[in-house]
Amino acid sequence: MSTEPPAFAAEPQRIAYHEPGDLGTLRTYVTSYAERAGLPPSRSGLLALAVSELATNTLMYTAGGGTMVLWAEPGEIVCELHDQGPVGSRPAAARMPAPDAPSGRGLALVDEVCDEVRTYRTAQATVVQVRMRL
């Protein structure tokens, strides 16, 4: 995978990820793309965090990796992560676990930092869509 994002494009950008080493590339790409689209750096970092958490879940709990699809719409950035995980395993609104819980914060962080989070199933994949307003 290339670590250099291309010039900003409004067309959906697709990046496959298959191993933990791909996560840094996803974060770098999302941050650069979002900032080029007009998302402030502090918010682009939060979007990159959300994408990283979702992609990490894909790598931990599904087989075969996933695909990130990223695009800009008027007034917002939209990012989808497609994988083969069961949609029922992702609660609509995750709650932060107890402070002494060893894990389980990823989905709660995604819900906290993104303006909108949706999960749905297509014939080919389970999709988690996150949106951030510009």
Side-chain angles (χ1 to χ4, degrees):
M1 283 171 58
S2 169
T3 59
E4 291 298 316
F8 178 76
E11 292 296 315
Q13 302 297 299
R14 297 176 185 278
I15 299 178
Y17 56 96
H18 303 286
E19 56 190 45
D22 295 337
L23 296 174
T25 302
L26 288 178
R27 287 189 297 267
T28 299
Y29 190 91
V30 166
T31 300
S32 178
Y33 185 97
E35 288 177 9
R36 290 176 188 200
L39 197 64
S42 60
R43 299 217 351 119
S44 67
L46 292 175
L47 179 59
L49 170 67
V51 168
S52 184
E53 290 295 332
L54 293 169
T56 296
N57 281 356
T58 295
L59 297 177
M60 289 180 64
Y61 301 115
T62 71
T67 302
M68 178 190 73
V69 184
L70 179 67
W71 70 93
E73 292 183 356
E76 64 187 351
I77 298 293
V78 183
C79 185
E80 292 184 343
L81 286 95
H82 300 232
D83 67 30
Q84 296 306 308
V87 73
S89 67
R90 294 186 176 100
R95 294 188 179 179
M96 194 63 74
D100 59 345
S103 64
R105 289 170 181 76
L107 295 178
L109 284 171
V110 170
D111 284 338
E112 185 69 27
V113 303
C114 294
D115 294 321
E116 183 179 339
V117 180
R118 291 182 49 216
T119 303
Y120 61 93
R121 181 95 182 134
T122 70
Q124 295 81 29
T126 296
V127 180
V128 179
Q129 182 186 91
V130 296
R131 293 175 175 263
M132 299 277 289
R133 288 185 290 278
L134 297 178

